[in-house]
Amino acid sequence: MKFSIPPNLLYMLFCFLLMDLINQITQLTFPTLAETINVMNNHTLISHYGIDPTPANIAFLNSIITSSTTVGMIFSLFVFVPMAETKGRKYTVIYFRFIITLGTSLCHLMSALFQSTELFVLGQILNGLQLPLRMFVTMLYITECAPDKYRGTYVEIVTTTTSSTFSVATPNLLGKENTWFIFPLTVLICSIGNFAMAARLPESPKWLVRRNRMDEAARSIKFYHGENCSLNDVMTSFIKEKNLTKEDRISIRQVWENDTMREALKVLCAVSLFLILDSGAVQGTYTVLLHKTAGFTVQETMNIKLILAVAFFPTRFVGTYIIEALGRRPVMFIAGVIVYSKTWLMLATQFVIFFTGPSLLTKIMYVSVECLADSTLATGVASLGVLFIAELFPPSARTSVAQALILVTMVINLPIIAAFPIFYSLFEPGYFFIHVFSQIFFGSYLYKHMPETKGRAVYDIIESMDQEVASRSVSFIEEKTPLIRKRSSTLAFKRNSILNTSRTRALTFDHGLIPRKVDC
């Protein structure tokens, strides 16, 4: 695969990578400066409420701090994410994320200066507001600006770099009681500079086409696709994508009631659930507990995590190439083999620990589990969720699908993490049987139904899926229809679709909307 990034698109990626790195500092402040935050909690309880700090009181404040981010996420999911449809991608991603980051850094800065936990909690709520915008809207913005043949590569670059900074960027330096204000101050200054850089980026051309702002869309395409693109072909593809549905906004209920989009939703959910149910969330949350049961000390655990993060850091960029070079199905297959191997190795490790106790063998086995977990990220599989939202659904359905997927992910993750200590205390290996059987089910479904979408225009992907689903459904109904009835009358009721597919698009496609100039 010939790899080439138009300079302006490379500039866009740099702006978003810097934006994510800045937001990462605010996200890591509490996990990495917990002791310093506890000193602030002590001061708040004594000075503001006249309460003597106890372990229970401190734990309660810490619980409020951690849960406040979730409150912000849920609020943003239903209030601010839809603004990407009404106000535009640029408005939501660049302007609104800047305002949120600015507010978060100001709250954290004032909480550090005035030793106020209340202001820190407010900052955490604001920080939660930008997480759905970061996880979905920013990635959607990138996919809509990128050329089809490199769409996966660009999303994987941002995903990989963001996850890598989460592993190695821990702001322990200067994290003392009287110096940690430097971190929110740094975020404040850097966010202003980043905003000045990103403000010159044009709006998503696909969103502009949906609003019939064709001249602006043409200029945006020239900016992002470079001089070698064919404006006529790109505009035609975007207009066809826009005309996939007649409605401007489709609810998740309408998505489920439509045959084609229901099939796409099943594929998306299968990918997400396969990755969620791999014990990764539990390993991340209870990493110290699991390492200790394998025989490691807390210090050894931290050392191992750091060594593995550094060792596997270069491999995470492999996915930026193979996601387009091999395709979505091979990437999912490779990742599936690694994840399933990790699941069985984790189960075997827990059995050995349960029956023989910790030993050198269990240490080796658990380090191998960690290596497999880090190897999964090298495949690029972490980008498939966002890519499939952009590739398998028409523009009018993407926000609803993303909202539902993020909400379902949160709903599934919370009980899994909460229930783990209970199951683990009863029978240590028992919990991991869930992952062994769930991954067989979802993996088999993906092997049969997951489409290949690399390098294809979105309208072509959805039309092909629509035709395939229609042919399967027709065959099924014909098999179930008694011979004494007219099949033509039976099949007439089959396709009640909100998709404005190629069979009817000629009635709505306006070729006059395409700019006359062919080349960029």
Side-chain angles (χ1 to χ4, degrees), residues 286-297:
Y286 301 101
T287 182
V288 174
L289 170 65
L290 292 171
H291 277 84
K292 288 178 69 176
T293 58
F296 295 103
T297 65

Side-chain angles (χ1 to χ4, degrees), residues 399-410:
T399 297
S400 298
V401 170
Q403 287 175 313
L405 183 65
I406 294 173
L407 188 62
V408 168
T409 300
M410 292 172 59

Side-chain angles (χ1 to χ4, degrees), residues 36-105:
T36 303
I37 302 300
N38 280 338
V39 174
M40 181 177 67
N41 291 340
N42 291 337
H43 181 272
T44 298
L45 288 173
I46 296 172
S47 302
H48 298 185
Y49 303 101
I51 299 175
D52 292 331
T54 64
N57 292 334
I58 298 298
F60 178 72
L61 284 181
N62 287 337
S63 177
I64 292 176
I65 291 173
T66 54
S67 60
S68 58
T69 303
T70 304
V71 172
M73 286 182 63
I74 295 174
F75 186 81
S76 177
L77 192 59
F78 293 100
V79 176
F80 296 124
V81 169
M83 293 174 65
E85 296 298 326
T86 57
K87 299 293 186 179
R89 312 318 192 208
K90 178 179 178 178
Y91 178 89
T92 309
V93 170
I94 296 177
Y95 294 101
F96 202 73
R97 279 189 66 180
F98 167 68
I99 294 172
I100 293 174
T101 304
L102 203 64
T104 302
S105 60

